[in-house]
Amino acid sequence: MSETGIGAASMGEKISVGIIGASGYVGAELMRLLHGHPSFEVGFVTGETQANTQVAELYPHLAAVAGQTTFVSYQPQFLNDVELVFLALPHGESMSLAKDLLEHNKLVVDLAADFRLKDPNTYQRWYGEEHSAPDLLSHFTYGLPELFRSDIVQSKAVAAPGCYPTAAALALAPLTRLGLVQTDGIIVDAASGVSGAGRPPKPHTTFCTVDEDFTAYGLGNHRHTPEIEQTVNASVLFTPHLAPMSRGILATCYSKPTMPTSTPALYEVLEDFYAKEPFVIVAERPPSTKAAMGSNTAHLAVRFDTRTQTVMTLCAIDNLVKGAAGQAIQCANLICGLDETTGLSSIGVFP
């Protein structure tokens, strides 16, 4: 599937890109995918906490493509040599850079939460700090291609969704958009691999803490809640869980139908909605995080429980690919006028 983006590249022309905040897990995944991309060429990679460290030293799996590449501290003059910038920074840090990037007419894909929420007051409530660039919110398009492709291709700046909101929205949006389920009382119960917590060590993400454990967190106040609600236009109770695995998200979503329905009818809805989507698989088998690992594909399933009159939709993704770096590249492809599948795999890694 291809669209014409406003930053369309000439046939065969390389597009130079920079990654600000490349030393985290998402940044490393961006480097892995971008080095296999036929149209993007990595110009610089920054990492404030890893400045002067060779990429291959921190991430040996990138040694074959990283060569002598070294993480550097960000300098504004780096922008002179790139056309597109990926921001893979902690939440709250993209705001200070976005204005300069846009004024330099750079294409921007931000992987943090800074420009995902439309209302700065909502950001302050859930992230605990004032939004320092509310005037730039309107410049960013929410970057979930399966739901907002027509907006993305007209944008120069994209706010890539979070991993939990991606899984939840892909599972729920077809039903809420078509009025098939009630938009209040929706429950999203999701589990994520430990890489979702980031690379820096934390007491609750050490091997001894996570191994052979399964725990809920962010009860009633997880900051991805308003993003899910904004994307599916519904009220949601969201409970995330930490699972003892490196990658993957499995979201199980419960909602109540607005009219008589059945499992076959709901399958037909999802299959029709995603029929032309290159990175969505709708199947009867329960989705598996292992099936999605390493790919940009979302695996969906649906059931209608007649006893409780409940619609259950499930979605499995790789949190670092479709939930972060892969989706960011999918959006970058669109705004650059490339086929959105370029450089991305729909095939998982197994075992």
Side-chain angles (χ1 to χ4, degrees), residues 1-348:
M1 182 177 296
S2 62
E3 299 278 354
T4 302
I6 60 173
S10 301
M11 186 68 67
E13 180 183 352
K14 289 282 188 175
I15 300 168
S16 56
V17 305
I19 308 173
I20 300 178
S23 61
Y25 287 147
V26 171
E29 194 71 353
L30 272 172
M31 285 189 282
R32 181 179 77 86
L33 296 172
L34 287 170
H35 277 293
H37 197 289
S39 297
F40 292 147
E41 185 173 49
V42 179
F44 68 83
V45 294
T46 78
E48 299 303 318
T49 63
Q50 298 294 325
N52 301 317
T53 299
Q54 287 194 347
V55 170
E57 180 180 338
L58 186 63
Y59 294 115
H61 71 291
L62 296 175
V65 293
Q68 300 299 309
T69 303
T70 299
F71 293 110
V72 295
S73 293
Y74 173 70
Q75 301 292 332
Q77 59 264 32
F78 292 165
L79 299 181
N80 297 332
D81 300 321
V82 298
E83 301 166 68
L84 167 70
V85 176
F86 291 95
L87 297 172
L89 296 164
H91 302 312
E93 296 187 16
S94 297
M95 302 179 200
S96 61
L97 296 173
K99 184 177 182 180
D100 192 39
L101 294 174
L102 295 176
E103 287 181 347
H104 280 79
N105 202 34
K106 303 303 175 184
L107 301 173
V108 181
V109 180
D110 182 22
L111 288 95
D114 295 21
F115 298 100
R116 295 174 188 161
L117 299 174
K118 298 176 182 178
D119 184 353
N121 295 321
T122 302
Y123 180 89
Q124 183 172 4
R125 175 188 170 190
W126 290 88
Y127 285 84
E129 60 185 75
E130 185 176 356
H131 200 291
S132 63
D135 55 315
L136 298 182
L137 289 172
S138 61
H139 291 264
F140 281 80
T141 298
Y142 192 68
L144 187 49
E146 289 76 12
L147 303 180
F148 302 101
R149 180 176 290 105
S150 60
D151 296 324
I152 295 169
V153 296
Q154 300 178 61
S155 299
K156 295 182 66 176
V158 174
C163 48
Y164 279 127
T166 293
L170 291 175
L172 290 168
L175 307 181
T176 58
R177 286 191 175 191
L178 297 173
L180 300 178
V181 297
Q182 298 175 22
T183 56
D184 59 349
I186 294 177
I187 295 173
V188 175
D189 191 22
S192 173
V194 185
S195 59
R199 185 186 60 81
K202 305 174 183 68
H204 68 284
T205 61
T206 63
F207 176 81
C208 290
T209 301
V210 174
D211 187 43
E212 298 188 42
D213 193 26
F214 186 77
T215 182
Y217 63 99
L219 302 182
N221 62 5
H222 193 278
R223 57 194 184 185
H224 279 164
T225 301
E227 186 181 340
I228 297 172
E229 293 186 330
Q230 176 181 276
T231 308
V232 303
N233 195 27
S235 174
V236 171
L237 174 60
F238 169 51
T239 305
H241 299 74
L242 188 63
M245 58 187 185
S246 296
R247 290 172 176 254
I249 280 182
L250 177 64
T252 305
C253 309
Y254 303 93
S255 55
K256 294 295 185 179
T258 57
M259 61 189 73
T261 190
S262 66
T263 295
L266 292 168
Y267 264 109
E268 185 175 353
V269 168
L270 291 187
E271 288 173 343
D272 288 348
F273 193 92
Y274 292 120
K276 297 181 180 180
E277 295 301 333
F279 295 120
V280 178
I281 299 293
V282 178
E284 291 189 10
R285 61 183 174 276
S288 160
T289 58
K290 180 74 77 171
M293 189 172 71
S295 79
N296 198 53
T297 299
H299 294 256
L300 295 176
V302 64
R303 296 289 190 277
F304 179 64
D305 183 65
T306 56
R307 183 179 64 84
T308 61
Q309 292 292 295
T310 302
V311 176
M312 179 172 60
T313 43
L314 304 95
C315 179
I317 62 171
D318 185 324
N319 60 296
L320 291 178
V321 188
K322 184 56 178 169
Q327 183 147 262
I329 292 173
Q330 188 179 354
C331 290
N333 286 336
L334 286 169
I335 63 177
C336 289
L338 303 170
D339 187 294
E340 70 187 81
T341 65
T342 307
L344 297 170
S345 176
S346 60
I347 306 170

